[in-house]
Amino acid sequence: KPQYDVKEVGTTDLHGTRQQFWPDSTIFITTTYKFDILANRMRELAYLNAGLTITLTDLRMDKNAEAGIEGVRVEKFYSEGGLRDFVRYLDSNRTHLFDDVIYLNTEKQGTPIEAAIMYNTSYSENLHSYVNNINTIEGGTHLTGFRQALTRVLKKYADDNKVTEKLEKQKIEISGEDFREGLTAVISVKVGEPQFEGQTKTKLGNSEVSGAVNSAVGEALSNYLEEHPKEAKMIIDKVVLAATARVAARKARENVQRKSPMTGGGLPGKLADCSDRDPARCEMFIVEG
């Protein structure tokens, strides 16, 4: 509640605006800020806005003492490389497939698009998407466009190099998840009028963004694969390994499923098949249909 309208109160050489606020205990259950949560968010913003310096200062001596820190706690966040540094930070505890970062920063259909891609030797995908610096943890149309472009370009590259033909002979078909195994990527888009699904703003709904991201990522990835055949081969080899392992795992699951002369689903609860070693006490019913 402002005490008065904005008015001139003096002269100064300082610039900018200072805002102070406190969480309302009648609304929020927790009113104590956690430094680590704020630090993670400030670090995220520094990566998303290359060249921006953010300083986080904690003046709560009691809280700092609890964390084993004497005096004021200060942490600065700055990134010159932006998303390149972000994807390396996310991948810092993994073994890189190759040290290069696939990066793009362009604009398509009036939508600024920035993305950084890196592959590692792990078996999971690690995708982070942002719209206007908001972390869209549920994805949305921008993430859909990114995945479509990744699958389309890598599959075309595999087809052109006769890789899929060899797999088809082994009755192995590459799926979209195989292209994303070991992938760490960050995609950030700026949308003038974003349409989010729900109040939490965790999923983007703008349909036009999907095509823009698909086009931008497709062009950048195609150019990279053409200019870096060695790295491209390493990516495709990992995709082939992922597809082969997925098919082998499926066959292994099928082999351990219940198999008997009367193959079927397992019996419920404590029930079990009747069995006896004496053939005279056993009989088989063959039912048509």
Side-chain angles (χ1 to χ4, degrees), residues 11 48 51 150 193 214 242 249 261 281:
T11 59
L48 291 167
L150 187 79
E193 297 181 5
N214 191 329
R281 292 168 56 88

Side-chain angles (χ1 to χ4, degrees), residues 28 42 55 63 69 75 102 105 117 187 208 229 240 266 278:
F28 298 103
M42 297 303 110
T55 305
K63 295 296 179 184
I69 299 171
E75 198 164 339
I102 305 171
N105 189 356
I117 302 168
I187 177 169
E208 71 278 5
V240 170
D278 183 5

Side-chain angles (χ1 to χ4, degrees), residues 161-172:
N161 288 271
K162 312 299 182 183
V163 174
T164 50
E165 288 183 9
K166 298 176 183 177
L167 289 177
E168 286 173 359
K169 292 178 181 178
Q170 305 174 42
K171 296 183 179 180
I172 297 175

Side-chain angles (χ1 to χ4, degrees), residues 3-16:
Q3 298 176 13
Y4 47 80
D5 293 336
V6 176
K7 64 181 180 180
E8 186 175 333
V9 294
T11 59
T12 178
D13 292 331
L14 299 176
H15 296 275

Side-chain angles (χ1 to χ4, degrees), residues 35-36 39 43 54-58 73-77:
F35 186 90
D36 293 337
R43 184 182 298 108
I54 301 176
T55 305
L56 179 62
T57 306
D58 193 348
R73 186 178 182 182
V74 180
E75 198 164 339
K76 285 190 176 183
F77 304 96

Side-chain angles (χ1 to χ4, degrees), residues 21 75 107 147 156-157 164 166 172 196 227 259:
F21 59 91
E75 198 164 339
E107 183 173 321
R147 285 175 168 159
K156 183 179 183 302
Y157 189 88
T164 50
K166 298 176 183 177
I172 297 175
F196 293 103
E227 296 170 3
K259 293 187 181 295

Side-chain angles (χ1 to χ4, degrees), residues 220-232:
L221 192 56
S222 296
N223 294 336
Y224 182 87
L225 296 178
E226 290 179 9
E227 296 170 3
H228 301 80
K230 180 182 176 182
E231 286 80 2

